[in-house]
Amino acid sequence: MKLFAFCCILSCLSVAVGQITWHQLGTSEYYIHDGTKVNYQAAVSACALLNATLARVKTTQVQQFLVQKINKRTSYYIGLERINPTPTGFQWNDGTSVTSGETQWSGEGYPDNSGGRENCVQLSKQWNDISCGTTMKYICERHADIIVNGSFAKVVSSTYNSYTMLDVMYKMCFDAAPYKVEASARMLDESLPYRFNVITTVVQPHFFRIKLERVDIYSGWSPSEIKISWKAYFNTTIQIY
């Protein structure tokens, strides 16, 4: 994930989600599937379930990054398909032509379209065209999450209930709403026994609404100064004002 801590950016890291690890390079994350081998269409579907596509290896930088991560003794589907029988007749799954960028073919004579049916591409140390029915592993790609951090202090109370609803301003403006916001709360005076659960109920470009609930009591509480920390998650590029 890419992390904005008020404009501090981390450019390359790995993020484990369950048993899936995403490797970040720039604004993209890559998942290298080393499990069951599948055909090309099944690989496309598997990536789609992860809100991703087969990887587009458009630069030598991406090629070298992935080669460092993969099992060198096997091959992986990438998001490149043949659209006509010429040596340059390949297209990435975002619609761009392979001729518009760098290529990593195995050497002279490749792609060779052996048997006239090698319409997909595998990546190992280099590329090779292959039948789309061949079963192999695959590499998925998705846009890296952008995370914006923030916090603020506020005096909060509840007259009767153990919870209160609270609108939290980001203190900055985004041109799109985050797809989720995670928040936590604690007393500024940590010697006090107050403990809070925070549930986000509404997310907008300029604010989010939370249910702030005391978990150590079941009634209202007097005015208390608390600190709310939050993380806003975006899966597209955003502008911060």
Side-chain angles (χ1 to χ4, degrees):
M1 295 181 177
K2 184 189 297 180
L3 174 62
F4 278 69
F6 293 104
C7 301
C8 293
I9 305 173
L10 296 178
S11 62
C12 185
L13 59 137
S14 296
V15 180
V17 182
Q19 296 182 350
I20 292 180
T21 297
W22 292 88
H23 306 278
Q24 184 177 336
L25 178 66
T27 59
S28 292
E29 291 178 329
Y30 301 91
Y31 163 57
I32 299 169
H33 175 77
D34 277 317
T36 304
K37 295 181 179 180
V38 298
N39 63 29
Y40 180 81
Q41 192 53 54
V44 170
S45 298
C47 289
L49 290 175
L50 299 174
N51 195 29
T53 63
L54 283 174
R56 293 177 290 277
V57 190
K58 294 185 178 182
T59 66
T60 299
Q61 180 189 25
V62 174
Q63 172 78 13
Q64 292 175 344
F65 177 77
L66 293 176
V67 167
Q68 290 175 356
K69 305 291 183 183
I70 64 174
N71 181 340
K72 308 299 190 298
R73 294 174 293 180
T74 191
S75 298
Y76 301 80
Y77 275 121
I78 58 176
L80 189 60
E81 283 189 272
R82 187 187 298 278
I83 57 173
N84 66 57
T86 68
T88 58
F90 286 85
Q91 187 177 78
W92 293 108
N93 53 17
D94 63 358
T96 57
S97 171
V98 72
T99 57
S100 64
E102 304 169 35
T103 60
Q104 313 290 333
W105 296 111
S106 296
E108 187 176 352
Y110 290 91
D112 61 358
N113 196 20
S114 177
R117 56 185 178 83
E118 293 188 334
N119 297 321
C120 290
V121 177
Q122 64 180 5
L123 176 148
S124 53
K125 293 181 180 179
Q126 293 178 294
W127 301 350
N128 181 40
D129 52 338
I130 194 168
S131 168
C132 299
T134 305
T135 58
M136 66 179 61
K137 301 173 183 182
Y138 54 88
I139 303 174
C140 301
E141 176 183 354
R142 70 182 183 185
H143 194 281
D145 275 353
I146 297 172
I147 306 176
V148 183
N149 288 343
S151 64
F152 83 112
K154 186 177 180 65
V155 175
V156 179
S157 64
S158 178
T159 304
Y160 302 108
N161 300 314
S162 61
Y163 69 89
T164 186
M165 306 302 293
L166 183 65
D167 287 350
V168 180
M169 305 301 293
Y170 299 113
K171 296 186 178 179
M172 62 187 81
C173 294
F174 309 127
D175 61 353
Y179 73 85
K180 72 173 180 179
V181 174
E182 296 176 346
S184 61
R186 64 174 179 82
M187 293 294 301
L188 284 183
D189 182 355
E190 295 186 348
S191 67
L192 296 175
Y194 301 179
R195 297 294 180 266
F196 297 94
N197 183 41
V198 181
I199 301 172
T200 304
T201 61
V202 176
V203 176
Q204 296 292 330
H206 307 299
F207 77 97
F208 63 96
R209 181 170 299 140
I210 60 173
K211 179 181 179 181
L212 181 68
E213 183 177 21
R214 286 277 300 276
V215 296
D216 55 310
I217 61 171
Y218 298 96
S219 61
W221 73 91
S222 59
S224 307
E225 191 171 19
I226 65 171
K227 179 180 180 180
I228 297 175
S229 300
W230 53 264
K231 290 182 179 180
Y233 293 78
F234 302 83
N235 53 18
T236 58
T237 302
I238 58 166
Q239 296 291 327
I240 302 177
Y241 305 99

